[in-house]
Structure formats: structure tokens, C-alpha cells
Amino acid sequence: MKTQLEEIRKAALESIDSCGTKEQIEEARIKYLGKKGELTSILKQMGKLSANEKPIIGKLANEIRADIDNKISEKNAQIKKAALQSRLNDEAIDVTMPAKEPEVGHKHPLSTVLDEIKEIFIGMGFDIAEGPEVEYDYYNFEALNIPKDHPARDTQDTFYVDENIVLRTQTSPVQIRFMENHKPPFRMIAPGRVFRSDAVDATHSPLFHQIEGLVVDKNVSMADLKGTLEAFAKRLYGENTKIRLRPHHFPFTEPSCEIDVSCFKCGGKGCPMCKGEGWIEILGGGMVHPKVLKNGVVNPDEYSGFAFGIGLERLVMFRFNIDDMRLLYENDLRFLGQF
């Protein structure tokens, strides 16, 4: 029996040593150490041994089992190490190969045009001002000479948080806050998001962007407003651009006007973009109403000013010939990748 055990040890160690995969090692383990394995079969015959022989054979059998287990562990470790080395060799990085150029994003068309507008007005000495999007009714309406019974206050047009707080419907409240905290003379623009209770379609959205402009100084006139906006239009659309002022009404300016630019696509000859008129409306403005100056803690007897409001989406749609405002907000990379 001792001879048989030694033969099993030798055969098992040689068999395991020749294995090349974990599956083969497992087959060898079952063959020699399994319930029906060769070592187990020998040990089942120990009952025939004398009392003196049993301890000797039992000790030898345990040594052989331990040797086989150690060989199995050693061989598994070798196979694992070899597999890791093979994987490292296969996945090695060639640092001399050219790198893949990462895909870099770019500005959204709204940001592109807004940054251009900021640069134009900063170049004319304007400051950039900001204000809260959740605004008091006073700053959004009353201080801008919009009384309680004005249609613009209707819930059909305004998002009310409560009776005294609204989502601002324009960036004009920023001009009141700016006047309260700055002494004239000053020039500022206030770009930002505004909210109107509009149904979503190709030209309307409950969220859009405005750029409010305000200049307050002594002896400011409509001629200053026209000159400023003409310089702005030429910088934005080219030196051949012309503007025209049409009478209009806004509660916070008097006199008020709407400003058109000559169509930058057809040069004023008439085309589908300008609907054959040769002109495109881009903003509204006028001289700041004396009541609004008073509400901003500015003496209307000493100072005058002009204000204007620009719709950013309108400028972007004209600039890039976009016919549906919704495209600017849907985050469709197929669309945004064109700019």
C-alpha cells in the first residue's frame, strides 16, 4: 500500500505539472483527490491494515494529499501569472502612436451671439448688470410705471409665485435696482433669462432671453439712443447696416419706439427673411419715463436717459437663419453641431 501511495504521489505531481489550464488542473484534482479518486480508493482499504500499520499509512496519505494540494495551488498561481502577463503584452500601450483627438464642444449659438453683444456694448463703455429671476412685483411692474390694472400683469402672461412675487417677465427690473445703487452718469446692459406664460411654438417659449440697456446722464436725447443702436447694429451686422425708428408705446419709456435694421440677407431689397419689406424688427426702446427715473431715485429734472430691450433669440434666429425657436432648447447634437 505504501508503494501504491508513492506511485500515486509521483503520477499526480507529474500530471498536475503538465497541465496548461485551470480546467485540466481541476480534472487532475478530481482524478486523485475526488470522492472516487485514486488516493481515496487506497485509503478505503486501510481497514485491512493492522493497528501498527494504520498510523504510518495514514500519515503518509496526509502528506501525499498535502503535496498534491500544494502542487495544485502552485500550478494555479503559475497559470494566473502567465495569463496576466499575456494580457499585459496584448494590451500594452504604444506611447509612440498618435493620440486620439478628444471631441471638444463649442459655444451654444445663444452664447455665441450674447458674447458678441456684450463685447460690443463693453466697447462702448457699458457695464454688465445682473438681477434676480424671481422678482418682486414692485420692481417688475410698479417701479416701471405699469399700474395694477395694466394688461401686462394678467396671469395669462405672468407666472406669479404669490401676489407680490413673480418670475420676471423682462430684464427691465434690473435697471431700477441699478439706479437705486448707482449715481448717474452710468451705462449698463442687463442680459438674462425672462419668463412669460406663452404656449410653446416656433416663435414663442415660456423661457427666453432679453438684454436690457440703460443710459442715464445729463442732456441725454433720442439722438443718443439712435446713435448707440446704429453703432451696435453696424458692429453686429456690418457697416452697411441701417436702422429706422418707428413710433410705439411702452409704459416705462416716453417717447417710445421700435427699431428695425435693414435686412442683412438681401440688403433691404426684400426677401423671405424680411417678408419682402427690407427691414427686420430687432428691439424696442425710448426715453426713460420720468416716473421710472423717480422710482430709481434719479432726479428727472436733472437727468434724462434712454433704455432699450433686445430679444436674444430673435437675433440668433436671424443670424443663423433658424425658423423654429424650439431648436435652441432641445439639445439635439445634430442641430448644435452645425454651429
Side-chain angles (χ1 to χ4, degrees):
M1 187 175 287
K2 185 175 182 181
T3 303
Q4 288 178 313
L5 288 173
E6 290 294 347
E7 289 176 353
I8 289 173
R9 176 180 3 215
K10 182 180 178 181
L13 296 180
E14 289 177 353
S15 176
I16 294 169
D17 198 45
S18 65
C19 291
T21 64
K22 291 184 177 181
E23 290 75 13
Q24 292 174 346
I25 294 174
E26 180 62 14
E27 289 176 3
R29 186 194 68 80
I30 294 172
K31 179 180 178 181
Y32 294 103
L33 301 181
K35 292 182 178 180
K36 297 181 180 180
E38 294 184 14
L39 182 61
T40 306
S41 298
I42 294 296
L43 295 178
K44 288 180 179 179
Q45 301 175 26
M46 288 184 63
K48 301 177 182 179
L49 300 177
S50 64
N52 293 330
E53 291 176 323
K54 285 182 179 180
I56 298 172
I57 297 301
K59 181 180 179 182
L60 179 60
N62 288 335
E63 289 176 357
I64 293 173
R65 180 182 291 276
D67 288 345
I68 295 174
D69 282 336
N70 290 337
K71 190 64 175 180
I72 289 174
S73 299
E74 178 184 334
K75 194 63 180 180
N76 274 325
Q78 290 177 2
I79 291 176
K80 184 177 180 181
K81 183 177 180 180
L84 176 60
Q85 188 60 48
S86 176
R87 182 180 174 188
L88 291 174
N89 293 335
D90 293 340
E91 298 179 2
I93 299 174
D94 184 353
V95 295
T96 64
M97 291 181 64
K100 293 182 180 178
E101 185 175 352
E103 185 175 349
V104 180
H106 53 77
K107 287 184 180 179
H108 191 281
L110 287 171
S111 298
T112 298
V113 176
L114 177 58
D115 288 346
E116 289 183 19
I117 294 171
K118 286 181 179 178
E119 287 299 317
I120 292 172
F121 282 108
I122 289 174
M124 291 192 285
F126 282 68
D127 294 321
I128 307 294
E130 295 181 345
E133 295 178 352
V134 181
E135 186 59 276
Y136 287 108
D137 175 278
Y138 170 77
Y139 287 104
N140 196 76
F141 292 126
E142 290 183 42
L144 294 170
N145 197 34
I146 302 176
K148 292 286 187 183
D149 58 352
H150 196 280
R153 288 174 171 266
D154 196 274
T155 55
Q156 293 180 350
D157 299 316
T158 306
F159 291 108
Y160 280 87
V161 178
D162 60 36
E163 61 180 11
N164 294 315
I165 298 176
V166 301
L167 299 185
R168 68 181 182 188
T169 59
Q170 54 205 350
T171 51
S172 300
V174 181
Q175 70 171 262
I176 301 296
R177 291 181 175 274
F178 193 90
M179 285 191 287
E180 287 180 342
N181 295 284
H182 296 80
K183 292 183 179 180
F186 49 72
R187 285 170 281 186
M188 58 79 84
I189 60 169
R193 298 188 301 180
V194 298
F195 308 87
R196 302 274 178 89
S197 184
D198 285 331
V200 177
D201 59 29
T203 57
H204 295 85
S205 171
L207 181 153
F208 55 101
H209 297 77
Q210 275 191 350
I211 304 160
E212 177 78 14
L214 174 68
V215 172
V216 175
D217 201 348
K218 294 181 179 179
N219 302 315
V220 174
S221 67
M222 284 289 287
D224 298 307
L225 170 63
K226 183 177 184 295
T228 299
L229 295 180
E230 192 167 42
F232 162 71
K234 288 180 180 294
R235 284 286 304 277
L236 193 64
Y237 295 119
E239 286 298 320
N240 295 324
T241 304
K242 299 178 182 179
I243 70 168
R244 72 176 182 183
L245 279 63
R246 293 181 288 106
H248 197 67
H249 170 71
F250 299 112
F252 30 82
T253 52
E254 180 60 38
S256 305
C257 61
E258 287 187 336
I259 296 91
D260 304 331
V261 297
S262 55
C263 180
F264 35 83
K265 187 172 183 179
C266 66
K269 297 178 182 179
C271 69
M273 176 174 282
C274 61
K275 299 179 181 179
E277 296 180 359
W279 296 92
I280 297 174
E281 177 194 339
I282 62 168
L283 56 91
M287 300 301 295
V288 181
H289 197 288
K291 289 184 179 180
V292 176
L293 290 174
K294 285 183 180 180
N295 292 333
V297 200
V298 173
N299 185 355
D301 296 326
E302 184 178 359
Y303 293 99
S304 58
F306 65 77
F308 55 86
I310 305 171
L312 179 61
E313 280 77 3
R314 177 181 286 264
L315 296 185
V316 172
M317 292 172 72
F318 287 148
R319 163 72 72 83
F320 297 114
N321 198 20
I322 299 170
D323 59 4
D324 194 329
M325 186 188 297
R326 289 170 292 193
L327 293 171
L328 297 172
Y329 298 106
E330 291 176 346
N331 295 325
D332 189 331
L333 294 180
R334 296 171 299 176
F335 169 76
L336 297 176
Q338 301 176 51
F339 302 95

Coordinates of all heavy atoms in Angstrom, one line a residue, residues 179 182-187 214-222 224 254 286-307:
M179 N -30.3 101.7 -10.7 CA -30.4 103.1 -10.4 C -30.4 103.3 -8.9 O -29.9 104.3 -8.4 CB -31.6 103.7 -11.1 CG -31.5 103.9 -12.6 SD -32.9 104.9 -13.3 CE -34.2 103.7 -13.3
H182 N -26.6 103.1 -7.8 CA -25.5 103.8 -8.6 C -26.0 105.2 -8.8 O -27.2 105.5 -9.2 CB -25.2 103.1 -9.9 CG -24.7 101.7 -9.8 ND1 -25.5 100.6 -9.5 CD2 -23.4 101.3 -9.8 CE1 -24.7 99.6 -9.4 NE2 -23.4 99.9 -9.6
K183 N -25.1 106.1 -8.7 CA -25.4 107.5 -9.0 C -25.0 107.8 -10.5 O -24.0 107.3 -11.0 CB -24.5 108.5 -8.1 CG -25.0 108.4 -6.7 CD -24.2 109.4 -5.8 CE -24.6 109.4 -4.4 NZ -23.9 110.3 -3.5
P184 N -25.9 108.6 -11.2 CA -25.6 108.9 -12.6 C -24.3 109.8 -12.7 O -24.0 110.5 -11.7 CB -26.8 109.6 -13.1 CG -27.7 109.8 -11.9 CD -27.1 109.1 -10.8
P185 N -23.6 109.8 -13.8 CA -24.0 109.1 -15.1 C -23.6 107.7 -15.1 O -22.6 107.3 -14.4 CB -23.2 109.9 -16.1 CG -22.0 110.4 -15.4 CD -22.5 110.7 -14.0
F186 N -24.3 106.8 -15.8 CA -23.9 105.4 -16.0 C -24.5 104.8 -17.3 O -25.5 105.4 -17.8 CB -24.3 104.6 -14.8 CG -25.7 104.7 -14.3 CD1 -26.8 104.2 -15.1 CD2 -26.0 105.4 -13.2 CE1 -28.1 104.4 -14.7 CE2 -27.3 105.6 -12.7 CZ -28.4 105.1 -13.5
R187 N -23.9 103.8 -17.7 CA -24.3 103.0 -18.9 C -24.3 101.5 -18.5 O -23.3 101.1 -18.0 CB -23.5 103.3 -20.1 CG -23.7 104.6 -20.8 CD -22.7 104.9 -21.8 NE -21.4 105.4 -21.2 CZ -20.4 105.8 -21.9 NH1 -20.4 105.8 -23.2 NH2 -19.3 106.2 -21.3
L214 N -29.5 100.5 -20.5 CA -29.9 101.8 -19.8 C -28.8 102.7 -19.8 O -27.6 102.4 -19.5 CB -30.4 101.5 -18.4 CG -30.7 102.7 -17.5 CD1 -32.0 103.4 -18.0 CD2 -30.9 102.3 -16.1
V215 N -29.0 104.0 -20.2 CA -28.1 105.1 -20.1 C -28.7 106.2 -19.4 O -29.8 106.7 -19.8 CB -27.6 105.5 -21.5 CG1 -26.7 106.8 -21.4 CG2 -26.8 104.4 -22.2
V216 N -28.1 106.8 -18.4 CA -28.6 107.9 -17.7 C -27.5 109.0 -17.5 O -26.4 108.6 -17.1 CB -29.2 107.5 -16.3 CG1 -29.6 108.8 -15.5 CG2 -30.4 106.6 -16.4
D217 N -27.8 110.2 -17.9 CA -26.8 111.3 -17.8 C -27.5 112.6 -18.1 O -28.7 112.6 -18.3 CB -25.7 111.1 -18.9 CG -24.4 111.8 -18.5 OD1 -24.5 112.7 -17.6 OD2 -23.4 111.5 -19.2
K218 N -26.8 113.6 -18.0 CA -27.5 114.9 -18.3 C -27.6 115.1 -19.8 O -26.7 114.8 -20.5 CB -26.6 116.0 -17.7 CG -26.6 116.0 -16.1 CD -25.8 117.2 -15.6 CE -25.8 117.1 -14.0 NZ -25.0 118.2 -13.4
N219 N -28.7 115.7 -20.2 CA -29.0 116.0 -21.6 C -29.0 114.8 -22.6 O -28.6 115.0 -23.7 CB -28.0 117.1 -22.1 CG -28.0 118.3 -21.2 OD1 -29.1 118.9 -20.9 ND2 -26.8 118.8 -20.8
V220 N -29.3 113.7 -22.1 CA -29.4 112.5 -23.0 C -30.7 112.7 -23.8 O -31.8 113.1 -23.3 CB -29.5 111.2 -22.2 CG1 -29.8 110.0 -23.1 CG2 -28.2 111.0 -21.4
S221 N -30.6 112.3 -25.1 CA -31.7 112.5 -26.0 C -32.0 111.3 -26.9 O -31.2 110.3 -26.9 CB -31.5 113.7 -26.9 OG -30.4 113.5 -27.8
M222 N -33.0 111.4 -27.7 CA -33.3 110.3 -28.6 C -32.2 110.1 -29.7 O -32.0 109.0 -30.2 CB -34.7 110.5 -29.3 CG -35.9 110.3 -28.5 SD -36.2 108.5 -28.2 CE -36.8 108.0 -29.8
D224 N -29.1 110.3 -29.0 CA -28.1 109.4 -28.4 C -28.5 107.9 -28.5 O -27.7 107.0 -28.7 CB -27.9 109.8 -26.9 CG -27.4 111.2 -26.8 OD1 -26.3 111.5 -27.4 OD2 -28.0 112.0 -26.0
E254 N -41.0 107.2 -22.7 CA -41.8 108.2 -23.3 C -40.9 109.3 -23.8 O -40.3 110.0 -23.1 CB -42.8 108.8 -22.3 CG -43.7 109.8 -22.9 CD -44.5 109.4 -24.1 OE1 -45.0 108.2 -24.1 OE2 -44.7 110.1 -25.1
G286 N -36.7 103.7 -26.1 CA -37.2 105.0 -25.9 C -36.5 105.8 -24.8 O -35.6 105.3 -24.1
M287 N -37.0 107.0 -24.5 CA -36.5 107.8 -23.4 C -37.2 107.3 -22.1 O -38.4 107.1 -22.0 CB -36.8 109.2 -23.6 CG -36.2 109.8 -24.9 SD -34.4 109.6 -24.9 CE -33.9 110.7 -23.5
V288 N -36.4 107.1 -21.0 CA -36.9 106.6 -19.8 C -37.9 107.6 -19.2 O -37.7 108.8 -19.1 CB -35.7 106.4 -18.8 CG1 -36.3 105.9 -17.4 CG2 -34.7 105.5 -19.3
H289 N -39.1 107.0 -18.8 CA -40.2 107.8 -18.3 C -39.7 108.5 -17.0 O -39.1 107.9 -16.2 CB -41.4 106.9 -18.1 CG -42.7 107.7 -17.9 ND1 -43.0 108.4 -16.8 CD2 -43.7 107.7 -18.8 CE1 -44.2 108.9 -17.0 NE2 -44.7 108.5 -18.1
P290 N -40.1 109.8 -16.8 CA -39.7 110.5 -15.6 C -40.1 109.7 -14.3 O -39.4 109.8 -13.3 CB -40.4 111.8 -15.7 CG -40.6 112.0 -17.2 CD -40.8 110.7 -17.7
K291 N -41.3 109.1 -14.3 CA -41.7 108.3 -13.1 C -40.8 107.2 -12.8 O -40.5 106.9 -11.7 CB -43.1 107.8 -13.4 CG -44.2 108.8 -13.3 CD -45.6 108.2 -13.4 CE -46.7 109.2 -13.4 NZ -48.1 108.6 -13.5
V292 N -40.3 106.5 -13.9 CA -39.3 105.4 -13.7 C -38.0 106.0 -13.1 O -37.4 105.3 -12.2 CB -39.1 104.7 -15.0 CG1 -38.0 103.6 -14.9 CG2 -40.4 104.1 -15.6
L293 N -37.5 107.1 -13.6 CA -36.3 107.7 -13.0 C -36.5 108.0 -11.5 O -35.7 107.8 -10.7 CB -36.0 109.0 -13.8 CG -35.4 108.8 -15.2 CD1 -35.3 110.2 -15.9 CD2 -34.1 108.1 -15.2
K294 N -37.7 108.6 -11.2 CA -38.0 108.9 -9.8 C -38.0 107.6 -8.9 O -37.5 107.6 -7.8 CB -39.4 109.6 -9.6 CG -39.4 111.0 -10.1 CD -40.8 111.6 -9.8 CE -40.8 113.1 -10.2 NZ -42.1 113.7 -10.0
N295 N -38.6 106.5 -9.5 CA -38.6 105.3 -8.7 C -37.2 104.7 -8.6 O -37.0 103.9 -7.6 CB -39.5 104.3 -9.5 CG -41.0 104.7 -9.4 OD1 -41.4 105.4 -8.5 ND2 -41.8 104.2 -10.4
G296 N -36.3 105.1 -9.5 CA -34.9 104.6 -9.4 C -34.1 105.6 -8.6 O -32.8 105.5 -8.6
V297 N -34.7 106.5 -7.9 CA -34.0 107.5 -7.1 C -33.1 108.4 -7.9 O -32.0 108.7 -7.5 CB -33.2 106.9 -5.9 CG1 -33.0 107.9 -4.8 CG2 -34.0 105.7 -5.3
V298 N -33.6 108.8 -9.1 CA -32.8 109.7 -10.0 C -33.7 110.9 -10.3 O -34.9 110.7 -10.6 CB -32.5 109.0 -11.3 CG1 -31.8 110.0 -12.3 CG2 -31.5 107.8 -11.1
N299 N -33.2 112.1 -10.1 CA -33.9 113.3 -10.3 C -34.2 113.6 -11.8 O -33.3 113.8 -12.6 CB -33.2 114.5 -9.7 CG -34.0 115.8 -9.8 OD1 -35.1 115.8 -10.3 ND2 -33.4 116.8 -9.2
P300 N -35.4 113.4 -12.3 CA -35.7 113.6 -13.7 C -35.6 115.1 -14.2 O -35.5 115.3 -15.4 CB -37.2 113.2 -13.8 CG -37.8 113.3 -12.5 CD -36.7 113.1 -11.5
D301 N -35.5 116.0 -13.2 CA -35.3 117.4 -13.6 C -33.8 117.7 -13.9 O -33.5 118.7 -14.6 CB -35.7 118.4 -12.5 CG -37.2 118.3 -12.2 OD1 -38.0 118.1 -13.2 OD2 -37.7 118.4 -11.1
E302 N -32.9 116.8 -13.4 CA -31.5 117.0 -13.6 C -31.0 116.0 -14.7 O -30.0 116.3 -15.4 CB -30.8 116.8 -12.3 CG -29.3 117.1 -12.4 CD -28.6 116.9 -11.0 OE1 -29.3 116.7 -10.0 OE2 -27.4 117.1 -11.0
Y303 N -31.5 114.8 -14.7 CA -31.0 113.7 -15.6 C -32.1 113.2 -16.5 O -33.3 113.3 -16.2 CB -30.5 112.6 -14.7 CG -29.3 112.9 -13.9 CD1 -29.4 113.2 -12.6 CD2 -28.0 112.9 -14.5 CE1 -28.3 113.5 -11.8 CE2 -26.9 113.2 -13.8 CZ -27.0 113.5 -12.4 OH -25.9 113.8 -11.7
S304 N -31.7 112.7 -17.6 CA -32.5 112.0 -18.5 C -31.8 110.7 -19.0 O -30.6 110.5 -18.7 CB -32.9 112.9 -19.8 OG -31.7 113.3 -20.4
G305 N -32.5 109.9 -19.6 CA -31.9 108.6 -20.1 C -32.7 107.9 -21.1 O -33.9 108.2 -21.4
F306 N -32.1 106.9 -21.7 CA -32.8 106.1 -22.7 C -32.6 104.6 -22.3 O -31.6 104.3 -21.6 CB -32.3 106.3 -24.1 CG -30.9 106.0 -24.5 CD1 -30.5 104.6 -24.6 CD2 -30.0 107.0 -24.6 CE1 -29.2 104.3 -25.0 CE2 -28.6 106.6 -24.9 CZ -28.3 105.3 -25.1
A307 N -33.5 103.8 -22.7 CA -33.5 102.4 -22.4 C -33.9 101.6 -23.6 O -34.6 102.2 -24.5 CB -34.4 102.0 -21.2

